[in-house]
Structure formats: C-alpha cells, structure tokens
C-alpha cells in the first residue's frame, strides 16, 4: 500500500501542507553552527513520511531561534537536511502574534473549548482579529506556493481553522483539513463568541477529517444549531453551505507500528529497558508508567491521586510497585500549565512522604523531552501503562505502548474519554474522574493473570497491525482522490 494513492497517468497534484508546528527547527549550536531539532509530538512525525513521499511544500510557523538564518528571503529551505525531498516554508510571527494567535486563541480558547474544559476557557476579541490575520498570512503563503497549478492543500488542526475560507477559490485546488483534537457539542461551542465564523471557515474545506465518529456527530449537531441555513446529510457525511459542499468523515490517526516494533526489538534497547526497570521498579515488584505532555487535559493529577489511594488501601503493596510519570513541560507561558506542574510536584511529594521508605520511592516524576528510542525502552520496561485524559482527540501514547510490547505482556489502562478508547478493545477502560474505581482497576491490572494479559494484548496488537499511520494517510488521500474526481 503506497502512502498516497496512484493518480493514474497525470502527474499528482502538488501537495501544500499547512500546520502551526514545523517538522524541524534550527538553533545555534555551541560552535556557532546550526543544529536541527525535531519538536516532540506525534503529528509532525506522522506527516513527515507523506511529505517525503510526494514532495511539495510544508508551510509552518518558524519557531526555532535560528530558523531564518538558513532560509531564503521568502523563509524557504529544502528538508530534511540529510535527504532533501520537500520544501519547508517558514512563517515568521511577531511577539504579539505569538501571544494572541497562538497562546490566546489557539491555546486559551480553542484548546480548552474543544476539550470541554470551560473552566480554562478565555476569549479575547482583539486576539481573535490577530488569529484571523495570521490565518490569512498562511493562506497567502499557500496561494503563492500553488501558483495557479493543480494542487491539494492539506490543513492541520485548530490553529488554522480559517485558512480554507481565506484561500482564493480555484477549481483545480482541493482543500482538506484534519482536526486533531475533539470537536465539542453545540452547548459548549456556543461559548465561543466567534463560533459561527469558525464553522464558516471550516466549511470552506472540501473534506474535513476527525479522529472518531463521535466528533463527526458533534460537528453535525453544531452546524445544525449554529448555521441553520446549511443543508446536512449526516448519513452520507455531507454539509452544503453557501454553494459549497464539504464531506465530513472520521479517520483515526495511528502510529508507525513497524518502526516502534523494530526499536523495541533492538538488543541495546532491550538492555536499556532492563536497566530502567532496575533503577525505578522495586526488586521483584511492578512498574506503572504514564507518558504525556504536561497538559491539564491528560488527567495526570487524577492518576496520581488514584495511585495514592491504591497505596492507602493496600498496605501489602508497600515496596512492591512504583509509578514513573514522564511529563514533558508544555506551553509553560500559560499560567494553568505552570499550576499543573506545581500540582504534579506537590501530589508526588505528599504521596512519597506518606508511603515512601529509604529503599523505595513510590512515584518518580521525570520532566524531560525524551527521544523515541528512550520512550520505547520505558514502554518495554513497564508492566502497566496508564493513559487517563479527561478528554483527548486520539492519544498516541496508548498505541505506542501496545506496539512496543514485543515479547512482553503489558496492561493498558485507558480513559473512556480518549478517542483511542473506541479502537483499543482489550484495554481496561477507566473514568479519570472516578478516583475510587481508578484505584480499584489499577489493583485489577496489578493482579491480572498472565493468560488474560496476553489475550488482551493480542486483541490490541492485531488491530494495530492493520491500523497504522500509513493506513491513516492512505485512507484520507483515497477519499481526496475520489472526491476530486467527482468534482
Ligand atoms: P498530543 O496532545 O500531543 O497530540 P498524543 O497523541 O499522546 O498527544 O501524542 C503525544 C506524542 O508526544 C506521542 O507521540 C509521545 O510519544 C510524545 N511524547 C509524550 N511525552 C513525551 C516526552 N516526555 N518526550 C518525548 N516525546 C513525548 C494531539 C492530540 C491527540 C492526538 C495527536 C495526533 O491532543 O489527541 O492523538 O495530536 O493527532
């Protein structure tokens, strides 16, 4: 299966991809040379292979400190540096634009809104104007890259919700967008004063993708509620609004399963994982793992509290189990994120003081950005992985953990509020808000027999082996090809 379906004899349309985050950043090294880093996160890693396969242009915010020292005056350079296959076009943002477009609207308004966290939601109308202006700059850059040719524009995520509506209409350009986070129900979306503008912008896409059926259902409910003149056919996944037809489908994102499996089988990583286990799990005991960006949607305090309760209720577990929480700091410019870091540290200290002994530290908090080989070594080392978001579009950690269980039999605890819960039959589903039941299910996982562990894992690994990120890209582009043909 090729990543991008074959387009017949005609040359494939030019691909122009837009995302807020860029696939690589440049910074200055110690000797004044330029060092390349790849920002953490599943999304850019998932999209790189598609760009490498097709060529084209990737347009993104140039957020690295030395980004514009290596580009032409239009902000462009060929990447990846070792085997250049596509063009990266960087957009420079001013301090004000970063504050208003990125922090205020994307992260203080749309992110909490879509994750149903209205207690964290704020809206600044001046910042919305900047959000529109930055989206316009992305659209103008895309239009320059298309340059009148036949093209497919692929927009990523909630930072760029208005781009489709700001692109000039052109018959030979197909525009589609993937929304990586949940889509909220109408009562929540109504809290956004610009909700109608947001919907109108998104409905300028020819195809719109979400992770799950539930988000598609919410989207149709929002259109019916806020844009009553739109005509919807939910069964066929079609919205017609102002003479434009948008197809709305769900495509669950996944991971490069083979790449994780290969890493997990590497002898040096098998050894590394043994060392990590020795360092952090009590001898003969078990290791529970959490891996997240430190974000209030990921339910980290909830899982720490449940682990504390587990230790309160089961004194026999003293010195028998440890929880390693890897939480890379994220969006630290926003007060709530700083508060979360403090809360994680506080809860960890309280539980460690209450239960720890000179030989045993119940919770180890690691606040580092780890490379994928090290993460995979941790996944291998853990008997249990706990993924407890209060809302999550998909959650790739759950899938990475299962893919890394080469010759192991780890148990996955997965929040019913993660998109991944719709696919991962075999996981122990949890409600992060229910501390009592979360502690109980942790105990179930710790005492689960080998046979049941293996059976559950097998179900998830079988599903994952065919539902890879390659399939995600292929399914989206198959639909792009069909819909473009019909047009
Ligand atoms: P995120 O909210 O970032 O993604 P997730 O899907 O779990 O959440 O992806 C996180 C990625 O970052 C994983 O690939 C993980 O390996 C990596 N990561 C986590 N902690 C790390 C650390 N300490 N060091 C290095 N890497 C780390 C958004 C949505 C999700 C959706 C994805 C993709 O919020 O719901 O699954 O996009 O669409």
């Amino acid at each position: 299966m090729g990543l991008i379906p074959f387009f017949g004899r005609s040359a494939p349309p030019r691909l122009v991809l837009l995302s807020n985050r860029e696939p690589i950043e440049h910074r200055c090294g110690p000797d004044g040379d330029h060092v390349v880093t790849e920002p953490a996160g599943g999304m850019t890693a998932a999209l790189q292979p598609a760009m490498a396969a097709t060529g084209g242009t990737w347009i993104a915010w140039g957020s690295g400190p030395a980004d514009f020292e290596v580009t032409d005056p239009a902000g462009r350079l060929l990447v990846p540096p070792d085997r250049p296959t596509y063009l990266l076009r960087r957009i420079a943002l001013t301090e004000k634009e970063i504050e208003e477009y990125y922090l205020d609207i994307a992260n203080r308004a749309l992110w909490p809104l879509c994750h149903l966290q209205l207690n964290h939601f704020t809206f600044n109308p001046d910042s919305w104007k900047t959000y529109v202006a930055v989206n316009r700059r992305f659209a103008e850059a895309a239009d320059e890259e298309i340059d009148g040719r036949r093209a497919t524009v692929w927009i990523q995520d909630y930072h760029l919700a208005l781009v489709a509506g700001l692109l000039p209409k052109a018959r030979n350009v197909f525009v589609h967008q993937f929304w990586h986070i949940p889509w909220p129900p109408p009562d929540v979306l109504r809290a956004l004063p610009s909700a109608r503008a947001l919907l109108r912008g998104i409905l300028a896409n020819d195809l719109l993708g979400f992770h799950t059926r539930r988000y598609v259902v919410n989207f149709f409910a929002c259109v019916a509620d806020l844009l009553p003149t739109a005509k919807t056919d939910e069964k066929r996944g079609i919205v017609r609004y102002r003479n434009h037809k948008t197809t709305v489908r769900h495509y669950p994102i996944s991971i490069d399963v083979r790449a994780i499996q290969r890493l997990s089988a590497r002898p040096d990583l098998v050894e590394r994982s043994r060392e990590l286990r020795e360092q952090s799990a009590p001898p003969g005991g078990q290791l529970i793992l959490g891996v997240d960006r430190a974000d209030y949607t990921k339910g980290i305090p909830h899982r720490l509290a449940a682990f504390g309760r587990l230790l309160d209720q089961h004194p026999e577990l003293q010195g028998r189990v440890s929880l390693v929480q890897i939480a890379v700091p994220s969006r630290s410019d926003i007060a709530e994120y700083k508060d979360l870091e403090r809360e994680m540290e506080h809860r960890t200290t309280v539980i460690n003081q209450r239960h720890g002994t000179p030989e045993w530290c119940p919770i180890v908090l690691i606040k580092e950005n780890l490379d994928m080989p090290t993460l995979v070594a941790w996944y291998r080392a853990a008997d249990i992985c706990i993924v407890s978001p209060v809302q999550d579009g998909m959650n790739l950690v759950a899938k990475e953990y299962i893919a890394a269980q080469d010759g192991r039999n780890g148990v996955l605890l997965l929040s019913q509020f993660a998109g991944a819960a719709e696919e991962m039959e075999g996981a122990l589903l949890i409600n992060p808000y229910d501390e009592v039941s979360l502690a109980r299910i942790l105990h179930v996982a710790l005492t689960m027999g080998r046979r049941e562990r293996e059976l559950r894992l097998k179900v998830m690994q079988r599903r994952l082996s065919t539902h890879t990120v390659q399939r995600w890209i292929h399914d989206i582009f198959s639909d792009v090809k069909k819909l473009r043909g019909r047009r």
Side-chain angles (χ1 to χ4, degrees), residues 180 211 293 298 368-370 375 392-396 400:
H180 288 261
H211 287 304
R293 272 188 313 100
K298 301 290 181 183
E368 280 169 42
N369 189 5
L370 305 178
L375 271 183
D392 210 337
M394 174 54 68
N395 194 289
L396 297 177
E400 289 165 1

Side-chain angles (χ1 to χ4, degrees), residues 120 294-296 301 330-347:
H120 294 290
D295 192 293
Y296 55 76
S330 153
R331 306 178 190 171
S332 305
D333 296 333
I334 298 178
E336 277 102 328
Y337 286 75
K338 278 259 163 273
D339 293 347
L340 173 70
E341 281 180 44
R342 273 192 291 273
E343 185 178 356
M344 288 188 314
E345 277 161 21
H346 176 69
R347 282 187 190 255

Side-chain angles (χ1 to χ4, degrees), residues 39-46 111 115 157-158 178-182 211 215 253-255 260 290-295 297-298 326-329 331 366-372 375 379 387 391-398 400 418-419 472:
M43 195 255 278
T44 48
W111 176 267
H115 288 88
D157 232 350
Y158 61 101
F178 192 82
W179 196 262
H180 288 261
I181 61 176
H211 287 304
Y215 308 147
I253 200 171
S254 191
I255 53 166
I260 304 259
V291 176
D292 312 80
R293 272 188 313 100
D295 192 293
T297 60
K298 301 290 181 183
I326 303 173
V328 59
R331 306 178 190 171
I366 301 176
K367 300 199 312 182
E368 280 169 42
N369 189 5
L370 305 178
D371 58 17
M372 195 42 91
L375 271 183
Y379 289 143
V387 175
Q391 280 293 324
D392 210 337
M394 174 54 68
N395 194 289
L396 297 177
V397 168
E400 289 165 1
W472 176 72

Side-chain angles (χ1 to χ4, degrees), residues 198-214:
L198 181 82
L199 281 172
R200 280 196 289 266
I202 281 189
L203 286 173
N205 282 287
D206 298 306
L207 171 66
L208 177 59
F210 294 103
H211 287 304
T212 69
R213 172 95 198 110
R214 182 145 44 111

